[in-house]
Structures are given as structure tokens and as C-alpha cells.
């Protein structure tokens, strides 16, 4: 049985629990009102609800749980908690939800419950917004239509068939069949990408009755607009201002939805520009407005498109952003040949702006000079004085201006003003050089000149005045004038020293003169030389040019190097380069240098305008491989072959300095020749190589050959540029050494055979022609009253005459056998130029003289008695038969013995003309002197009769005629021809 204390405790607990339950029930505020609608444009569910008034009066802090479901099965697709504090104004609560699935694709339902002090109220009933999937419309539908989505997001769409239709296929780029056909099909495309301009097409096809079985839409994928960049604002006249910015790349979506810009000023709370639309044809956007009195602005520029917007803030001070107008109306005022004053106008004229201007001077040499003006006002005429201009030169001026205070940027350039300054005397000097050529009686000096750096003609019609004067004799200076553009001329001077000067001259005046001095020379030393050998030193070219070195001397104040750009042409385009006294080399760089051409350089030392030749150099800018020698085989034996290329030239006709020759040999036995090295050709063939390092050694013998073996030979000349590839070879075959066994025997037999043949030939000749050689008598012919030593007078009957002829006066005149006595010099000429005298029978059986041995039917009669090889010199008057020339000569005087006239007594000698006074006369011609040692013995005929015909007496009775038989007995050659008998 329960006692009193236990009963009180139980009652207390029951009372406490009842109070707690009653308290909880009194703090739950369920939803009393709920309304759901939709915004199809925004694809948004709009939810409105409310609770009891007591909750508003107590201003409860409440939490609402909102659930959204789709389809009839009430699948919850979204849950969200909404926190709020209720107001005593009893205003209903609002909430919206953006659906990824188009609201038309399915029915959407919403329910809400509240929570106070961790106690949830019961759920409200579902409030549903019906989709079109439940409609009785027979037309198929697709949602959303022309949707704009951001790149990378997910896109959900649906296809709804008409009444009694089911979706058959879905087309997204390609066709996708539906596995379980339904009236409504929902699909999601994950992470959409940018498509082609105009949007991406999506379509569905349907099966079932209806007047339309397909439907489609476009999907537009884009990006948020770019933030405006490169924003700047400026004013040109302090009355209007404008802001410019770069719109960026993302200015449109699928080529259809363009971004728009808005410029808002926070100071004035005004939107200065609104709905400025970007354009694909314009990269920059511009907003302009009137300034009025406001000089500073604080802007927000916003770019917005269908997917969102971006903004940028900046400030603008009008006074700090002045962009002046372009200067105009330029004109000039000439002051002097080197000074000009420029004028121009500025805008605006109504309001003065302080400006500074910059003047640009474009010179003809493409150099640019700048001049800055002082502060000028935009409403006045500005001017500036330009000094230091080049006389008689075209100058192009243009001007731009900027704000003097708070300079921001220059204005545009004005139009060019082109002027030509006035003429002045030429400034600077000419560089004068010369080339000396010795001629008969003096020297030709070819003068060359060019403008030194800093030279200016300063005028038109330039001419060059050249003057030269003799420094050793007092003479009037000579001068010539050469018009431009000529830069060379030639003058002739003597062997004295000369001063030559040149000046440039125009209409105003002349430049300062440039001088050179030509040293004196002798007739035998008019040419400039280094030494007797005049040797040229070789130099090598590099990629940068040809370095010329020389040995400097303290006596010179400078050096000159000259050369010809085209050494094989005339004129050769002589060039020269000067260097200072402290230099010993110079780099010659010439565009005209051609590889493979030999260039000649001369180095001169100069002091007091007088140049002296120091050294000569030759070289190539680049050596090339030379041509191949023309090789001949000059000797071939079983064990060696000899090669020669003697005609190969090593002079400047070659494209490089010939350094030597490489001889290549190849056979099937490989490279085993002593003294050779192996050489692998680019084509892979192996050759034996010999090298000759002396370019003048043009013969070589390849030894140690194998007899009866074939060989290939090649000879290549090489220079600093190498040699040409082996493309042409000579084929040879070493002789068989078996043939060499008989060589000693052959060499022994050949001399014996030659001696035998010579003896046999000599024996026959002696027998035929010289079987009986008479011995001449030592007596000589004597004349009455005129004898020399032991000479005795010989009678005609004692011997047979040397020559017998029968001729009439007319024949003598015809043959011109006699002539008046000539001088000793004329006789010498006659003897020297005479031909062998021949006897030629004519039709009348008379004999005429002929100077040619080639005519038929002639013969010579010579007496070898007087033709010994005694060592006597040829005297001025020699036997005519000893001098034989190939050219016909006039018939000379008949031979007369040495001292023929001098040894005759004037009283006893009958003049020649008297001796020829008869109708016929017998002329005897004797030969007294020993012939020249050069007479050939085998050309002579031997006499078979002894006799001592050493002279003759004009008073002797001679035979006046002779028959053919008589002639035959004195000649070893039988003939029936009658003629003159001459014994030389």
C-alpha cells in the first residue's frame, strides 16, 4: 500500500509532464496559407505562404523547411531551409526557386513546415503547378526554347509529345533512339561547350498520331562579358569629353546576343552612357558628353550580357587629359642658307590652352632632328626659328603639340612642309688619290677623288677644279675642270716633282683644297717600285674581309691601301682606304669582292701629302678549288709510270694560290705503294695518294707498280679552297716484264746495225760521186804586171775552164749577167740575198737563170775541188751557190774572186763593157776563195779531170762554143741539154 509521500511524488511528476506538453503544443506554428505559381520566362517557381497571427505578434524567429518535388510520384528534387523573423505587420513570406528542368516538362509541387525552439510543425499539404506533360494538346513541344547557358554548365531539356504520342528519338549532333518510349523524355547535357555561331540544334522525333512528328530548338552557349580594358578619357577643346575602352573578345553569344555597356558617374549620380552595344566590326567603344562645369568624375563602367555582368571603377580629371588638335597652316620664312622661321596655327581659337610643340626635321640622309618650342597659346599664331640646317638641302618639317601643364600625349602630326634651303659654298674636303703609269717622256697620272665624311656640296652644278704645278721648275700651273658626277681624270706630267690639288666648286664658291705631291723620277725609274724583285706578299681572306698588314714606320703620318674591285676589267674601279699613323693593319671589306678572284693591294706610306710605295699584297676573299691539270703519260714501264702536266698554269687565272698537287692511284691490289697514304673519297673508294708541295714541280713517277696490272690515275691541284672531287681518271696498264728480257740484246744489236748501214751508205756515195777527186794545184792565176808572191800565170790550155758560156749581147742583157760595179755594201747585200743559180733550158735550147730548184729540167755544175772545209770566214763577197734562200731574189752580179778588181792591172784589164762588145763572147767564171765552212759536202759534184784553174787572163783566147758532148764530159750527170756551164 502506497504511503502518503510516494503519492505526492507521483502527482508532482504527472503535473509537470502535462505542463511541458501543453507548452510545446502552444509554440508550434504550422503553415496556414500556401500558394505556388511559376514564371515561365525565368523558369522560376514563386512560393507564397503565411502562419498564424500569434506568431507574427510574438515576432518569432522561425525556420521553414521547403521541399520541391517533380512528377506525380512526388520525387523531392530540392530542399532548402529559409530563416526569418516574423513581423507584426502580418506580411506573408515569399521564396523563389529556379529550376534546371523547364517547368513545362513536369508538374512541380511544394510543401513547407516550420520550426520553433527545435520543434517542427506538421508538413503542409502539397501545392502543385502542373506541367504541360499532362495537357491534352496534340502538338508536340520542346523546352526550353533558345536557351542561353554559360560554357561549362549543365543543360537540361525535355520533349513532350502530343496526346497519344511518344518520343521516338532525340537528336543532338547525332540521332539517339529512345529505349523506352514515353510521352515526356528529359535529357541533360553536361559541361556544354561553345558551339558554332547561331547556336547548337536539338530536336526530337515522335511516334503516334498527330499532324507533327518532330520539333527542335537552339542552344546558345557563351561566356560572361570581358571586363572593359584600356579605359581612357580625354578632352580636345575643354568643352566636350569622351571615354574609350576596349570591349574584349566575349562581346556576343552565338553571334546573336551582344554585350551592352553603361557608364555611371557617382559624383553627379548620372548615367552618362547607357546601352552602348559592342560590335564585332569595332574593337573600341566610345562614350561622349558635354563637360559644363564639372572637371572631375568617378565612374563605374559595367559590361552585361545574358549570362551576367562585370564592372570596373576609375576616375577622370579633365585638366589632366588634354589631347590637342592637329596643328595646321604651316608656312616658312627664309633667313639664311642655314636658317628658316616656321609658322603654324592651333585649335581651339575660342578658349586658350597652353601648349608646347615639337618640330621634326627629316633630312635627305634619313636622319631626323628634333626641335622644341616654348609655351604657345592655342588661340595665337605660333612660330619657331630653326638654325643649323644644311644649305641647299631638301628638308621636311612637321609639328605636333601637347599640353604644357599636366602633359598627357602629343597631338597628331601636322602635314609635311617641304622646303629647300639656299645655296652656300661646299663644305668639307675631298679625298684625292692617284695611280701613276710611266709613258715615253713622262708619266700619266690618273686622279681619283671621293667625298670625305662631312663633305657637303651645298649647291647645284658642282664641278671639280684640278690644278697641278711643277715644284722644280718655274712654270705656269695647269688646271682642268671636271663636272660632277665624274670622279676621275687623267693628266700627263714630266719627271719632276708635282703638286696636285682639287677643290669642289658651285655657283657660290669653292671648298678647301685637297693636295697630293708626286715625287720626281728619272726616265729609267718612272714606275713605282718596292725593290728590284717587286715581290707581292700573299694575304688570306676571312668571312669579314681581307686583312692587310704592313710594317709601320715612324717617318709616315698615315697609310693608304689601294686595290681594284674588278681587277680583270678596264677600268678596274680603283678604291683606296686611309688609316692613321699608329696603325699597322686594315680590314678591306668590299661588296664587289668575288670568291675565286685574285686581288692586288698596294700599301703606301704618306707624309706631308707625299705617298711612297711600301708593300704589295695579293690575295683572295675566298679561295676556290682549281681546275684539273691536263695530264699526259710520258713514260710507262712494267714497274713505274711517269706523268707530266707541264702546261698547267699557276698564275692568277686560277681561283686560288696553287699550293701543290695530289696524285691518286687505285688498283685492285689496294693501297700498298711505298710513300703513299690512304685516301677515302666521298664516294667510298679508296685511293693511294701522293702529295707534291711545290706548285712548279709538274712531273711525277709512280713507282713500285705490279707488271701486267691495270691502274687508275688522277692528278688534282689544290689551293686554300681545297680540290675538286675525283670525277675523271686515266686508265693505264703496266707493261709485262717478260718483254724486258730481250731489251739488252736489242740494245746491243741496234748500234751494230746502225754502223753497218752508215758504212754501206758512205761507201756507195763515195763510189758514185767522189771516186776520182783531183788535187788542186797550188799555183794561182797571175796577171801581167800584177802578181802576188809565188803566183804564176796559167795558160788557158793548161786546164779546163770552170765555167763556159756562149751568149750574145742580147742574151747577156736579158740575163743581166753583168752590171756596173757597185759599192762594197751593195755587193754584200747582193751576195747575202742571192739564191742558187740554176740553168734552165728554154724552147730555143738557150739557158736562162732560175732562182728555184723546183723547176723541171735544170741542173747545177759544181767543182768540189774548191770546196774544202778549210776554216776560213765568209768574206763579204762569197760564191753565189753557197747562199740559198727560200725566197726568189733578183739575179745578182756574177761572182768575182776576192779582191778581183784590186788585183787587176788597170793597163792590162779590159773593161767589162769592151769585153762584151762582140756578138758573142765566152765568159769564164772562176772561183778563188774557200767557201764558207757551212757548205755541205754531199751537195757538191766532183770533177773527174785534173786541173789548176786558179785564175784567168782576159787576153787569153777562149773557146767560143761548146757542144753538148763537151759539156757531158765535165758532168757526172748525162744530159742532152745545151746550156751554160757554171763551176761555182
Amino acid at each position: 500500500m502506497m504511503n502518503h509521500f510516494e503519492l505526492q511524488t507521483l502527482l508532482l511528476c504527472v503535473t509537470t509532464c502535462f505542463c511541458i506538453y501543453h507548452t510545446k503544443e502552444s509554440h508550434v506554428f504550422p503553415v496556414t496559407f500556401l500558394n505556388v505559381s511559376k514564371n515561365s520566362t525565368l523558369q522560376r517557381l514563386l512560393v507564397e505562404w503565411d502562419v498564424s497571427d500569434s506568431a507574427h505578434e510574438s515576432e518569432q524567429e522561425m525556420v521553414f523547411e521547403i521541399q520541391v518535388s517533380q512528377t506525380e510520384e512526388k520525387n523531392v528534387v530540392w530542399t532548402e531551409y529559409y530563416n526569418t523573423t516574423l513581423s507584426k505587420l502580418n506580411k506573408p513570406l515569399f521564396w523563389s526557386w529556379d529550376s534546371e528542368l523547364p517547368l513545362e516538362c513536369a508538374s512541380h509541387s511544394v510543401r513547407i513546415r516550420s520550426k520553433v525552439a527545435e520543434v517542427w510543425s506538421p508538413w503542409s499539404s502539397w501545392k502543385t503547378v502542373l506541367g504541360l506533360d499532362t495537357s491534352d494538346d496534340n502538338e508536340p513541344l520542346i523546352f526550353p526554347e533558345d536557351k542561353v547557358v554559360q560554357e561549362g554548365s549543365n543543360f537540361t531539356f525535355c520533349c513532350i509529345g502530343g496526346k497519344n504520342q511518344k518520343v521516338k528519338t532525340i537528336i543532338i549532333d547525332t540521332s539517339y533512339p529512345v529505349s523506352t518510349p514515353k510521352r515526356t523524355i528529359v535529357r541533360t547535357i553536361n559541361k556544354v561547350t561553345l558551339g558554332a555561331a547561331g547556336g547548337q540544334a536539338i530536336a526530337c522525333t515522335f511516334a503516334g498520331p498527330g499532324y507533327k512528328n518532330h520539333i527542335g530548338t537552339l542552344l546558345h552557349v557563351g561566356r560572361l562579358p570581358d571586363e572593359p580594358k584600356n579605359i581612357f578619357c580625354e578632352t580636345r577643346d575643354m568643352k566636350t569629353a569622351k571615354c574609350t575602352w576596349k570591349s574584349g573578345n566575349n562581346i556576343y553569344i552565338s553571334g546573336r546576343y551582344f554585350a551592352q555597356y553603361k557608364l555611371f558617374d557617382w559624383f553627379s549620380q548620372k548615367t552618362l552612357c547607357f546601352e552602348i552595344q559592342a560590335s564585332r566590326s569595332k574593337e573600341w567603344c566610345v562614350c561622349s558628353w558635354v563637360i559644363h562645369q564639372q572637371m572631375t568624375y568617378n565612374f563605374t563602367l559595367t559590361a552585361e550580357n545574358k549570362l551576367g555582368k562585370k564592372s570596373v571603377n576609375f576616375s577622370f580629371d579633365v585638366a589632366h587629359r588634354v589631347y590637342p588638335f592637329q596643328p595646321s597652316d604651316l608656312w616658312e620664312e627664309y633667313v639664311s642658307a642655314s636658317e628658316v622661321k616656321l609658322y603654324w596655327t592651333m585649335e581651339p581659337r575660342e578658349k586658350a590652352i597652353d601648349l608646347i610643340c615639337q618640330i621634326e626635321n627629316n633630312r635627305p640622309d634619313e636622319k631626323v632632328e628634333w626641335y622644341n618650342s616654348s609655351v604657345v597659346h592655342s588661340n595665337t599664331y605660333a612660330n619657331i626659328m630653326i638654325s643649323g640646317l644644311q644649305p641647299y638641302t631638301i628638308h621636311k618639317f612637321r609639328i605636333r603639340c601637347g599640353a604644357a601643364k599636366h602633359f598627357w600625349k602629343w597631338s597628331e602630326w601636322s602635314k609635311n612642309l617641304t622646303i629647300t634651303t639656299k645655296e652656300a659654298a661646299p663644305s668639307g674636303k675631298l679625298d684625292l688619290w692617284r695611280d701613276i703609269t710611266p709613258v715615253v717622256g713622262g708619266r700619266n697620272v690618273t686622279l681619283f677623288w671621293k667625298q670625305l665624311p662631312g663633305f657637303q656640296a651645298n649647291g647645284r652644278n658642282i664641278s671639280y677644279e684640278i690644278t697641278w704645278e711643277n715644284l722644280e721648275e718655274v712654270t705656269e700651273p695647269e688646271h682642268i675642270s671636271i663636272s660632277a658626277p665624274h670622279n676621275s681624270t687623267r693628266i700627263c706630267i714630266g719627271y719632276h716633282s708635282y703638286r696636285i690639288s682639287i677643290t669642289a666648286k658651285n655657283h657660290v664658291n669653292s671648298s678647301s683644297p685637297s693636295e697630293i705631291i708626286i715625287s720626281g723620277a728619272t726616265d729609267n725609274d718612272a714606275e713605282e717600285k718596292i725593290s728590284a724583285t717587286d715581290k707581292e706578299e700573299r694575304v688570306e681572306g676571312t668571312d669579314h674581309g681581307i686583312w692587310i698588314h704592313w710594317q709601320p714606320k715612324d717617318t709616315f703620318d698615315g697609310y693608304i691601301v689601294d686595290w681594284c674591285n674588278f681587277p680583270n676589267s678596264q677600268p678596274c674601279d680603283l678604291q683606296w682606304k686611309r688609316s692613321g699613323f699608329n696603325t699597322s693593319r686594315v680590314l678591306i671589306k668590299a661588296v664587289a669582292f668575288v670568291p675565286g678572284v685574285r686581288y692586288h693591294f698596294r700599301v703606301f706610306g704618306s707624309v706631308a701629302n707625299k705617298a711612297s710605295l711600301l708593300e704589295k699584297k695579293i690575295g683572295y676573299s675566298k679561295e676556290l678549288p682549281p681546275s684539273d691539270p691536263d695530264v699526259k703519260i710520258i713514260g710507262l714501264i712494267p714497274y713505274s709510270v711517269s706523268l707530266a702536266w707541264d702546261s698547267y698554269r699557276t698564275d692568277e687565272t686560277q681561283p686560288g694560290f696553287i699550293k701543290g698537287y695530289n696524285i691518286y692511284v687505285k688498283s685492285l691490289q689496294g693501297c700498298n705503294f711505298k710513300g703513299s697514304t690512304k685516301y677515302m673519297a666521298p664516294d667510298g673508294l679508296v685511293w693511294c695518294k701522293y702529295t707534291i708541295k711545290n706548285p712548279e714541280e709538274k712531273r711525277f713517277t709512280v713507282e713500285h707498280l705490279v707488271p701486267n696490272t691495270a691502274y687508275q690515275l688522277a692528278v688534282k691541284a689544290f689551293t686554300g679552297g681545297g680540290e675538286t672531287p675525283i670525277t675523271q681518271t686515266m686508265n693505264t696498264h703496266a707493261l709485262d716484264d717478260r718483254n724486258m728480257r730481250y731489251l739488252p740484246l736489242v740494245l746491243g744489236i741496234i748500234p751494230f746495225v746502225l754502223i753497218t748501214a752508215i758504212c754501206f751508205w758512205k761507201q756507195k756515195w763515195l763510189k758514185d760521186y767522189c771516186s776520182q777527186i783531183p788535187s788542186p794545184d797550188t799555183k794561182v792565176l797571175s796577171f801581167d804586171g800584177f802578181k802576188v808572191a809565188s803566183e804564176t800565170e796559167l795558160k788557158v790550155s793548161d786546164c779546163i775552164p770552170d765555167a763556159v758560156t756562149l751568149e750574145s749581147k742580147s742574151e747577156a742583157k736579158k740575163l743581166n749577167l753583168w752590171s756596173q760595179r757597185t759599192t762594197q755594201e751593195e755587193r754584200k747585200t747582193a751576195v747575202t740575198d742571192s739564191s742558187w743559180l740554176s740553168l734552165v733550158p728554154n724552147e730555143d735550147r738557150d739557158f736562162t737563170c732560175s732562182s728555184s730548184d723546183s723547176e723541171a729540167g735544170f741542173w747545177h755544175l759544181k767543182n768540189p775541188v774548191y770546196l774544202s772545209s778549210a776554216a776560213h770566214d765568209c768574206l763579204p763577197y762569197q760564191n753565189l751557190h753557197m747562199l740559198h734562200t727560200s725566197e726568189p731574189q733578183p739575179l745578182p752580179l756574177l761572182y768575182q774572186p776576192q779582191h778581183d778588181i784590186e788585183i787587176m792591172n788597170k793597163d792590162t784589164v779590159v773593161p767589162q763593157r769592151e769585153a762584151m762588145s762582140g756578138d758573142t763572147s765566152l765568159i769564164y767564171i772562176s772561183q778563188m776563195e774557200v767557201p764558207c765552212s757551212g757548205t755541205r759536202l754531199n751537195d757538191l759534184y766532183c770533177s773527174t779531170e785534173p786541173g789548176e784553174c786558179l785564175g784567168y787572163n782576159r787576153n787569153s783566147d777562149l773557146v767560143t762554143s761548146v757542144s753538148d758532148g763537151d759539156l757531158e764530159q765535165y758532168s757526172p750527170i748525162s744530159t742532152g741539154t745545151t746550156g751554160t756551164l757554171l763551176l761555182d
Side-chain angles (χ1 to χ4, degrees), residues 27-94:
H27 285 79
V28 172
F29 301 100
V31 175
T32 59
F33 167 76
L34 177 60
N35 182 39
V36 180
S37 61
K38 66 179 179 180
N39 185 335
S40 298
T41 303
L42 300 177
Q43 288 294 304
R44 182 175 295 170
L45 280 179
L46 303 177
V47 180
E48 182 182 3
W49 76 96
D50 202 356
V51 292
S52 63
D53 294 339
S54 60
H56 286 282
E57 291 177 358
S58 61
E59 295 182 346
Q60 291 288 338
E61 291 183 2
M62 302 184 67
V63 176
F64 295 91
E65 183 181 2
I66 305 171
Q67 289 185 345
V68 179
S69 64
Q70 294 175 347
T71 71
E72 297 177 355
E73 290 80 9
K74 302 295 188 296
N75 296 324
V76 176
V77 296
W78 188 262
T79 299
E80 184 175 327
Y81 295 94
Y82 182 83
N83 298 316
T84 186
T85 299
L86 298 180
S87 172
K88 292 181 179 182
L89 298 177
N90 293 335
K91 290 183 178 181
L93 301 176
F94 294 93

Side-chain angles (χ1 to χ4, degrees), residues 433-439 443-449 466 468 478-480 482 486-493 500 570-572:
W433 187 235
R434 85 293 186 279
D435 183 44
I436 302 174
T437 304
V439 294
R443 294 169 289 176
N444 280 342
V445 179
T446 304
L447 299 174
F448 303 88
W449 58 88
I466 300 171
W468 65 98
E478 300 181 68
H479 71 277
I480 57 174
I482 306 296
H486 296 92
N487 62 349
S488 67
T489 189
R490 177 178 294 176
I491 63 174
C492 183
I493 63 175
I500 304 175
Q570 288 297 331
C572 69

Side-chain angles (χ1 to χ4, degrees), residues 243-383:
C243 289
T244 306
W245 63 89
K246 193 173 182 180
S247 57
N249 296 324
N250 301 322
I251 60 173
Y252 61 90
I253 300 173
S254 298
R256 181 173 179 181
Y257 302 102
F258 286 88
Q260 293 184 343
Y261 297 91
K262 179 177 67 174
L263 184 63
F264 179 77
D265 175 37
W266 292 94
F267 289 158
S268 62
Q269 292 293 308
K270 293 181 180 179
T271 300
L272 301 180
C273 298
F274 186 76
E275 294 184 353
I276 298 177
Q277 183 169 304
S279 172
R280 281 179 290 182
S281 61
K282 295 182 180 180
E283 185 180 5
W284 296 87
C285 297
V286 179
C287 174
S288 301
W289 72 96
V290 178
I291 294 176
H292 299 299
Q293 300 298 323
Q294 184 177 349
M295 299 299 292
T296 57
Y297 298 85
N298 189 10
F299 289 125
T300 295
L301 179 61
T302 302
E304 184 176 2
N305 63 10
K306 291 284 185 179
L307 297 176
K309 58 184 178 180
K310 288 185 179 179
S311 300
V312 62
N313 299 320
F314 64 95
S315 59
F316 169 49
D317 191 330
V318 175
H320 292 188
R321 293 292 185 268
V322 177
Y323 178 37
F325 286 105
Q326 177 186 29
S328 59
D329 300 332
L330 272 72
W331 75 95
E332 79 283 355
E333 177 183 353
Y334 291 100
V335 178
S336 66
S338 60
E339 291 182 318
V340 66
K341 196 171 187 179
L342 300 181
Y343 296 86
W344 68 95
T345 60
M346 293 291 301
E347 294 288 343
R349 308 292 293 176
E350 300 84 7
K351 190 172 184 179
I353 301 176
D354 291 340
L355 303 172
I356 56 172
C357 297
Q358 188 178 69
I359 296 89
E360 180 187 78
N361 176 18
N362 288 278
R363 294 169 44 178
D365 56 3
E366 297 184 355
K367 292 184 179 180
V368 179
E369 295 178 343
W370 305 88
Y371 309 92
N372 293 322
S373 72
S374 57
V375 177
V376 297
H377 302 290
S378 62
N379 57 353
T380 61
Y381 287 101
N383 64 82

